[in-house]
Amino acid sequence: MKAMVMTAAGGPEVLALREIPEPAIARPTEIKVRLRAAGVNPVDTKVRSRGLFFPGAELPAVLGCRRRGRGGRRGSEGDALPVGDAVWFCNGGLGREQGNYAEYTVLDEWLASECRPASASRRRPPRPSC
């Protein structure tokens, strides 16, 4: 799969488009998400310019903490989010877990939330529109 990879600490020039292995579901509570949009947040630019957050984290690394996409396959215990529904989440991108500047990611289902359709009633709890 394609991913935007950080090759060193520095400016935007340290990011490179590369082919990396597609992540696989490893635990029964995980879901695989096809990513559709990413946000570039201040934390992303700080990690890129200053280096990875976690001691022992290695380069190259995929950045990106915040993302939305469509839920795909899930582990045997994943059942809260319907397959194919739009989801959003903040996960990875600091040097330990794969970030979200890639085509796919795998994360624990509890970290994702279903996106509220733009036409949904305001009586339901607020969720971001995706």
Side-chain angles (χ1 to χ4, degrees):
M1 74 172 175
K2 292 179 183 166
M4 190 58 70
V5 175
M6 175 180 155
T7 59
E13 68 280 357
V14 303
L15 299 174
L17 186 61
R18 299 239 174 109
E19 284 287 329
I20 66 170
E22 192 172 307
I25 292 174
R27 294 189 303 264
T29 56
E30 290 180 331
I31 60 171
K32 186 173 190 174
V33 178
R34 180 175 173 85
L35 302 164
R36 300 289 186 183
V40 178
N41 296 299
V43 69
D44 300 325
T45 59
K46 288 176 185 161
V47 169
R48 187 202 69 230
S49 65
R50 297 177 186 171
L52 300 174
F53 184 76
F54 291 99
E58 296 181 13
L59 293 171
V62 179
L63 301 181
C65 296
R66 198 170 108 185
R67 198 69 183 213
R68 80 164 184 90
R70 296 258 174 218
R73 290 184 289 150
R74 58 182 177 220
S76 60
E77 294 177 20
D79 62 1
L81 299 170
V83 172
D85 275 12
V87 296
W88 71 277
F89 51 91
C90 292
N91 183 61
L94 300 175
R96 189 171 48 202
E97 295 90 5
Q98 174 194 302
N100 300 308
Y101 296 163
E103 292 181 288
Y104 293 92
T105 195
V106 170
L107 65 149
D108 255 306
E109 186 178 48
W110 73 270
L111 293 167
S113 181
E114 184 180 7
C115 293
R116 178 182 50 80
S119 62
S121 166
R122 295 288 179 207
R123 292 183 209 175
R124 292 179 14 193
R127 294 182 184 157
S129 297
C130 292

